[in-house]
Amino acid sequence: AIDPQFETNREKVGEENGVAVWGPVEPPEKLGIHGTHVAVDFDICLADGACLEDCPVDVFTWVDTPDHPESDIKAEPTHEDQCIDCMLCVDVCPVDAIDVDPG
Ligand code: SF4
Ligand code: F3S
């Protein structure tokens, strides 16, 4: 599962698609955690798609991640600023790849 303390335990290494990326990042195998308010561990996401289907405000967008061992697309929280903290995505992700911090 995603580490809910990632902001303490990891370092921000850059930005992709308008969201922060928390390392370590070593493509194509290691892609880090993407997003902050809504965070997706790209190394755990296996492209189930429930988050995209169920998010009421369309926070997530598919992005290509060719040659990643789990899946070659991932759910990027491109519109995390729209999140209404309903926690649906956290509940439906089968591999607990998502952390939402209402802070
Ligand atoms: Fe969307 Fe709700 Fe998840 Fe926020 S908590 S990203 S609104 S499903
Ligand atoms: Fe990935 Fe979980 Fe969404 S596996 S596509 S973050 S439901």
Side-chain angles (χ1 to χ4, degrees):
I2 186 170
D3 174 9
Q5 304 300 321
F6 70 90
E7 286 176 80
T8 309
N9 296 335
R10 292 176 178 235
E11 270 180 50
K12 197 193 271 194
V13 295
E15 264 200 17
E16 259 175 60
N17 308 304
V19 307
V21 177
W22 303 82
V25 171
E26 284 167 45
E29 293 90 3
K30 271 181 167 291
L31 300 175
I33 289 176
H34 286 223
T36 305
H37 180 105
V38 180
V40 179
D41 192 326
F42 269 30
D43 295 316
I44 297 176
C45 173
L46 38 66
D48 176 83
C51 57
L52 271 98
E53 280 169 35
D54 289 358
C55 177
V57 292
D58 295 331
V59 161
F60 304 97
T61 310
W62 288 125
V63 294
D64 292 323
T65 56
D67 300 321
H68 187 270
E70 294 298 337
S71 58
D72 57 11
I73 54 172
K74 306 287 179 186
E76 186 83 278
T78 41
H79 298 104
E80 62 180 340
D81 55 318
Q82 303 288 310
C83 176
I84 56 170
D85 302 324
C86 71
M87 298 297 166
L88 214 49
C89 58
V90 173
D91 292 341
V92 296
C93 178
V95 288
D96 291 330
I98 308 174
D99 179 66
V100 174
D101 183 3

